[in-house]
Amino acid sequence: MKIVHTIDDLRAQLRGQLRTAFVPTMGNLHEGHMSLMRLAAKHGDPVVASVFVNRLQFGPNEDFDRYPRTLEADTKKLEAEGVYVLFAPDEREMYPVPQEFRVAPPGDLGDILEGHFRPGFFVGVSTVVLKLFHCVSPQVAVFGKKDYQQLMVIRRMAQQFSLPTEIIPAETIRAEDGLALSSRNVYLSEDERREAPNLYRLLQETQSIIREVNPAKPEAIKALETEQQMKLSERGWKPDYFSIRLRSTLQNASADDLTKGEALVVLAAARLGGTRLIDNLEI
């Protein structure tokens, strides 16, 4: 595996490659990330991974400074998966001057759910991903469904900028007890780790209720959201949202949408102790 730290070296290494598959990460890699690498290998060759903790997507009170940085361990995992190039730039390489030009997603997608509770998050994500795409020039790029809204933001950005990169979605990888794998899971205490899978169980319960009851009224959906959020609170969580949305737009479903049986997704974000977890489940 080639390890490069500058954009010039990356481009030199990839010159002439026409089927590059790309997986951007912030490091602290786990089995979920490895599944992305394997999926990328099915859609392109060579596979390029990046490790870069992007300051632009962290808010002022978020965990940028304590975000785990495990480049040596990450390198070994990527090499074992047959990744061709690891691009591991520092901040000076990615942002040699202040990044004053930024990509702002439309408010109806970028300012709801995660964007509401983490203002500016999707601006930071979109900006760094577009920049990485220009550095790598991939034919395909793989993003996990665990970050459902992020996947939609990147997909729409690629469409609207006519980028020559196909966005491939990857299913969420879970531990045996259902907890979605995440780099932030390392922050959980033993007790919190035992409690954490209940977020997914509530998503599953919500999925079952909607499939069985098939509610045709937005009021029924709202009542279910409120009930499930209260269950989280009663278990000691501090929920930001527990929301059932249209898969296609992440907007609230109208009565007409529900009558037509439009595809839905339930998304949740909540703090357990000092750790904020997100998850989702398509319905």
Side-chain angles (χ1 to χ4, degrees), residues 218-257:
E219 309 92 85
I221 293 289
K222 187 66 178 175
L224 179 57
E225 292 172 341
T226 300
E227 180 182 353
Q228 302 299 67
Q229 188 161 313
M230 286 179 62
K231 288 180 182 178
L232 275 178
S233 297
E234 289 168 357
R235 299 191 66 90
W237 296 68
K238 295 179 180 178
D240 283 344
Y241 58 84
F242 194 103
S243 190
I244 300 159
R245 300 292 180 106
L246 292 170
R247 270 193 230 174
S248 57
T249 63
L250 293 189
Q251 296 300 301
N252 292 307
S254 67
D256 190 45
D257 293 326

Side-chain angles (χ1 to χ4, degrees), residues 30-41:
H30 50 67
E31 178 57 26
H33 293 107
M34 296 305 103
S35 72
L36 303 184
M37 306 300 161
R38 295 173 203 134
L39 182 58

Side-chain angles (χ1 to χ4, degrees), residues 146 174-182 184-204 231-232 235-238 242 268-280:
K146 177 184 162 294
R174 301 183 180 278
E176 289 185 4
D177 58 8
L179 178 64
L181 299 189
S182 169
R184 288 188 168 90
N185 290 351
V186 299
Y187 299 150
L188 296 169
S189 69
E190 289 186 13
D191 287 343
E192 290 165 352
R193 177 60 186 83
R194 284 191 288 270
E195 169 62 28
N198 284 304
L199 180 62
Y200 181 53
R201 291 176 192 136
L202 270 182
L203 294 176
Q204 290 178 304
K231 288 180 182 178
L232 275 178
R235 299 191 66 90
W237 296 68
K238 295 179 180 178
F242 194 103
R271 288 191 179 278
L272 184 58
T275 305
R276 187 175 186 272
L277 301 179
I278 66 170
D279 205 348
N280 65 81

Side-chain angles (χ1 to χ4, degrees), residues 5 52 88-95:
H5 301 282
F52 178 65
D90 60 17
E91 281 196 280
R92 190 182 312 171
E93 181 66 18
M94 286 300 292
Y95 303 123

